[in-house]
Amino acid sequence: MSGWNPATAVGSWDKKIGADEAENHANWTSNPAPNNMVFSDPKITTSGSTGEAILKKRVEDAVAAGFGAAVVSGTDVLNSPGSYFINNYFSEGDYSAFGHIDGAYRILPLTLAGNEYKNLDPDATVVTYCYTGQTSAVMSACLRVLGYDAKSLTYGMNGLYNTNPAWDNTVNKWGGDSGPKNLPLVQ
């Protein structure tokens, strides 16, 4: 929504982009991704007796917790990556080209059907980050329903290192094609 009109960008994206704290940070690297491990399923406690009832309650609990429970700042993760199980949701090429938080796994795709979710540590705070934070927010909400302590890194790559030269001319960089359009505001 921040890209709809310059008025919708003020106070949100424009103020959060450009800190470039990952630039020259000791925990920003281009090292290869660690090998994925296989973990057990997360454990949940429920009084539901059917799949439908369990899912309904899990979704209700996630919604009740609110979005704030499912986010973490790039500063926190970048300064203390060992406190999290980090999943960088970039393509393989972008993982190397843009760089990433040290120790970040690259679990993509991340599906139930393919069992890739088992590559996430159910005993850790799982932080997923992507280009803008939008995909990782949806993923984190789904993971919370499944029983993970999952969080989305706010603003994704845009909030960590927006001026990264390798990031220039990409469609997910705020300010390029994804910057504010001049679409009409309707009251």
Side-chain angles (χ1 to χ4, degrees):
M1 291 306 297
S2 295
W4 186 263
N5 184 290
T8 61
V10 174
S12 58
W13 277 90
D14 286 345
K15 290 184 179 177
K16 303 293 182 182
I17 303 307
D20 293 332
E21 59 192 304
E23 183 176 18
N24 299 318
H25 195 287
N27 292 327
W28 191 257
T29 184
S30 292
N31 292 337
N35 291 326
N36 290 339
M37 298 178 285
V38 177
F39 297 93
S40 60
D41 289 337
K43 304 223 181 320
I44 60 170
T45 303
T46 181
S47 60
S49 58
T50 67
E52 180 181 347
I54 294 168
L55 177 60
K56 182 178 188 286
K57 178 68 170 133
R58 298 292 304 165
V59 170
E60 289 171 350
D61 289 349
V63 170
F67 184 66
V71 295
V72 64
S73 75
T75 301
D76 290 346
V77 179
L78 190 61
N79 287 334
S80 186
S83 298
Y84 306 96
F85 183 96
I86 306 167
N87 182 31
N88 172 296
Y89 205 71
F90 290 175
S91 69
E92 187 172 354
D94 290 350
Y95 183 91
S96 299
F98 299 159
H100 50 271
I101 298 171
D102 193 30
Y105 291 83
R106 198 188 73 74
I107 305 167
L108 172 67
L110 179 56
T111 68
L112 294 176
N115 285 326
E116 294 93 358
Y117 77 97
K118 290 188 177 233
N119 297 131
L120 301 173
D121 184 351
D123 296 324
T125 299
V126 175
V127 174
T128 300
Y129 74 101
C130 60
Y131 303 101
T132 64
Q134 295 173 36
T135 299
S136 62
V138 172
M139 291 178 65
S140 295
C142 292
L143 291 170
R144 292 179 75 76
V145 169
L146 292 174
Y148 289 93
D149 177 15
K151 298 186 181 291
S152 173
L153 191 140
T154 54
Y155 303 96
M157 176 70 171
N158 280 287
L160 284 173
Y161 197 177
N162 186 258
T163 63
N164 182 330
W167 178 241
D168 287 343
N169 303 315
T170 64
V171 296
N172 293 310
K173 179 178 179 176
W174 181 249
D177 185 50
S178 68
K181 312 299 184 275
N182 199 19
L183 299 170
L185 295 174
V186 179
Q187 301 292 331

